[in-house]
Amino acid sequence: LTGWDGNPELWSVKEGAIMGRTTAEHPAKGNTFLIWTNGMPSDFELRTSFRIAANNTTGFANSGIQFRSKVLDPTNWVVGGYQADMEAGPNYTGTLYEERMTRGTMAMRGQKVVWDKDGKKQITGSLGTSEELQSLIKKEDWNEYVIIAKGNHLQEFINGRETVDVTDECEAKAAKSGVIALQLHAGQPMIVEFKNIRIKQ
């Protein structure tokens, strides 16, 4: 975990992958993050493989990749900003969420969206249905996530298919650069793993 900062009770490296794990004995009291400390990229392409699994009876497991984000509470490793979302369930993997900010889900999976200068969301097109894109995600297995941020244009891809396309024209809220971080969501016991993380600025 050289170059990363997070709760050592929850983050480790196993078989070459970064693993975030919550248990009944070591829960995440709030959403907590493993923060990359080697830069605050603005325009970049990030690629990684991820695997997420629920270790509980309800099937809940949620994580995400923060980018162009701010460290809001360094003591508890709390980050806010753009998040490429992921979960064990059927709804949020491949969406764009704004963690701890006011806009919430900025684009559902399959949406092309423009956030205009007044902060209003306009759906401008489709990349496919949410169900079709979900069918390309391998459950409890490795999937590839790609994030491309170029100016105010944000794109996410899973296993080669684009899942969201967002243009953020809201100058008051659009982030130009910031930290990258990996999320462990508060809630029931779960595991998320990341491997082969690489970034091209």
Side-chain angles (χ1 to χ4, degrees), residues 122-137:
Q122 300 172 3
I123 299 169
T124 59
S126 172
L127 300 161
T129 68
S130 179
E131 295 75 19
E132 179 201 354
L133 295 167
Q134 175 68 29
S135 73
L136 305 173
I137 300 167

Side-chain angles (χ1 to χ4, degrees), residues 27-113:
K29 296 177 179 67
N31 292 356
T32 187
F33 297 82
L34 183 69
I35 303 162
W36 188 56
T37 61
N38 288 342
M40 299 180 69
S42 53
D43 288 6
F44 65 87
E45 178 175 327
L46 183 148
R47 290 176 175 265
T48 186
S49 295
F50 75 93
R51 181 166 65 180
I52 188 166
N55 281 350
N56 56 67
T57 56
T58 65
F60 171 83
N62 187 287
S63 179
I65 303 165
Q66 296 290 140
F67 61 100
R68 290 189 181 175
S69 292
K70 295 179 178 140
V71 179
L72 303 175
D73 176 1
T75 308
N76 294 301
W77 305 283
V78 175
V79 171
Y82 297 137
Q83 182 190 112
D85 210 341
M86 64 181 71
E87 60 154 356
N91 300 309
Y92 300 118
T93 303
T95 65
L96 178 65
Y97 183 71
E98 197 178 47
E99 176 82 7
R100 290 189 173 254
M101 304 296 178
T102 56
R103 292 185 286 181
T105 300
M106 294 186 65
M108 293 301 290
R109 187 170 55 215
Q111 288 183 341
K112 294 184 79 168
V113 169

Side-chain angles (χ1 to χ4, degrees), residues 110-123:
Q111 288 183 341
K112 294 184 79 168
V113 169
V114 174
W115 282 82
D116 69 19
K117 62 184 190 327
D118 300 319
K120 291 192 174 64
K121 177 181 178 179
Q122 300 172 3
I123 299 169

